Amino acid sequence: MLQLHTLERYKDDQGNEIVYDGEVRREKIDIRFKGSNNTLVIDARADIKDLLVTFSGDNGRIEIAQTTKKRAGLRFELRCGHESLIRINENVGCAGRTFISAVEGVTVTIGADVMFAKNIEVRGDDTHPIYDVRTEKRMNPSRSIVVGEHVWIAKHAVVMGGVTIGNGSVIGFRSIVTSSIPNNCVAVGAPARVVRRNIAWERPEVVPRRPNEEYPRKGEKSEQYWNLTDDDGVQEGSPVVRPRPPKKRRWTRVLPAPVRRLARKLRSS
């Protein structure tokens, strides 16, 4: 295994290559090549804060785009296997290190303007195989993932293989996304379920704001991401939950206990 602790242009005789023309970085950089013909492409304007990359096979590719807006910075642990691809588009931000895994030829795509909180995993694989003991067939093949543009993923969330998350959506705290989520909605839980539709979110924090302050402030609105939820765009089998009607309260529950007992006797007689 070849291990590098400097982010700069590089190429070796095994065909491994780093394509990067920005400022040389040495802090919190750990790049590991275990195979051959792997390529790491990082835009010179990418705001790299913390980067651990492991190419665990051959012919893997990782692309990290530019940061042109104020963001928390890029903090990633990236694992790329044989003939796999991880693509991180522009203006992504990470409050803490986000783990992304693409192996067995799958692709993980992170859309532009995605906001990651802390301790998040986006994994196209389960790391270890699971088999059906009767047929001996593999039950958990690796699958590709697409996280759309302007998606907010909260702390401790996990996005599993085979999932697409639509533009403008929010994934709640400690949620586990196992099925595709449409655009402009809030999904929470394990597994994650859609609980609100037709929402939009913005990056400016509410922490410093005064009570009853008007939202959004002038210039805060990202018009291109204020859209109605399109449930028809959700893949078959995705967890779309319709609001439940309120339960009807039985009239006997409001009566005194002796009266309820008498009513039960009359019904049974």
Side-chain angles (χ1 to χ4, degrees):
M1 181 184 73
L2 175 66
Q3 190 169 7
L4 305 173
H5 295 287
T6 301
L7 180 56
E8 59 185 347
R9 183 171 281 273
Y10 169 85
K11 191 169 185 178
D12 62 27
D13 56 6
Q14 298 298 313
N16 298 307
E17 184 175 10
I18 299 174
V19 180
Y20 174 73
D21 293 322
E23 179 182 353
V24 175
R25 299 175 183 269
R26 294 183 174 85
E27 294 185 1
K28 295 185 177 181
I29 299 295
D30 189 344
I31 302 170
R32 306 172 184 181
F33 294 104
K34 296 182 178 180
S36 60
N37 299 316
N38 297 293
T39 305
L40 173 61
V41 181
I42 302 180
D43 191 281
R45 292 170 290 179
D47 186 15
I48 303 294
K49 299 294 188 184
D50 184 0
L51 186 61
L52 167 57
V53 173
T54 301
F55 286 100
S56 57
D58 303 328
N59 304 310
R61 185 176 178 88
I62 296 175
E63 301 173 0
I64 302 177
Q66 62 186 352
T67 309
T68 60
K69 298 180 180 179
K70 185 178 179 181
R71 295 292 181 260
L74 295 165
R75 298 171 172 87
F76 284 111
E77 178 182 349
L78 306 175
R79 180 174 66 190
C80 188
H82 289 286
E83 301 175 15
S84 300
L85 170 64
I86 297 174
R87 178 177 288 120
I88 299 167
N89 285 288
E90 63 183 12
N91 295 319
V92 172
C94 310
R97 184 186 277 185
T98 294
F99 174 73
I100 299 178
S101 179
V103 302
E104 296 187 307
V106 307
T107 296
V108 174
T109 301
I110 307 300
D113 202 44
V114 166
M115 183 168 72
F116 288 113
K118 297 179 179 179
N119 302 321
I120 291 167
E121 296 192 16
V122 181
R123 47 168 61 245
D125 61 276
D126 297 332
T127 303
H128 304 283
I130 300 174
Y131 300 98
D132 184 319
V133 297
R134 294 167 297 183
T135 64
E136 297 188 2
K137 290 185 177 180
R138 172 92 174 272
M139 298 176 62
N140 63 337
S142 299
R143 295 186 293 169
S144 295
I145 296 172
V146 176
V147 177
E149 297 183 5
H150 192 67
V151 171
W152 171 10
I153 302 183
K155 286 183 180 180
H156 307 294
V158 180
V159 181
M160 301 300 292
V163 161
T164 295
I165 301 176
N167 296 348
S169 285
V170 177
I171 305 301
F173 181 77
R174 288 185 176 170
S175 295
I176 301 179
V177 185
T178 59
S179 298
S180 294
I181 303 297
N183 66 290
N184 292 88
C185 65
V186 178
V188 299
R193 305 290 193 207
V194 174
V195 296
R196 292 292 299 271
R197 293 171 176 73
N198 306 321
I199 64 96
W201 67 274
E202 299 295 348
R203 284 179 176 270
E205 295 183 353
V206 301
V207 176
R209 305 215 175 175
R210 298 182 182 277
N212 303 315
E213 184 175 338
E214 185 177 350
Y215 287 80
R217 288 176 177 170
K218 184 178 180 181
E220 285 184 350
K221 190 173 180 181
S222 304
E223 296 280 357
Q224 70 271 35
Y225 299 119
W226 284 57
N227 300 300
L228 297 178
T229 299
D230 179 14
D231 285 331
D232 292 335
V234 184
Q235 297 178 6
E236 185 178 352
S238 298
V240 178
V241 179
R242 306 297 178 185
R244 295 180 179 178
K247 293 182 178 179
K248 293 182 178 180
R249 190 177 183 185
R250 294 178 59 180
W251 64 271
T252 55
R253 292 180 181 175
V254 301
L255 298 176
V259 178
R260 294 202 302 272
R261 286 195 293 270
L262 178 59
R264 286 196 294 270
K265 289 181 180 180
L266 292 174
R267 286 199 302 270
S268 62
S269 62

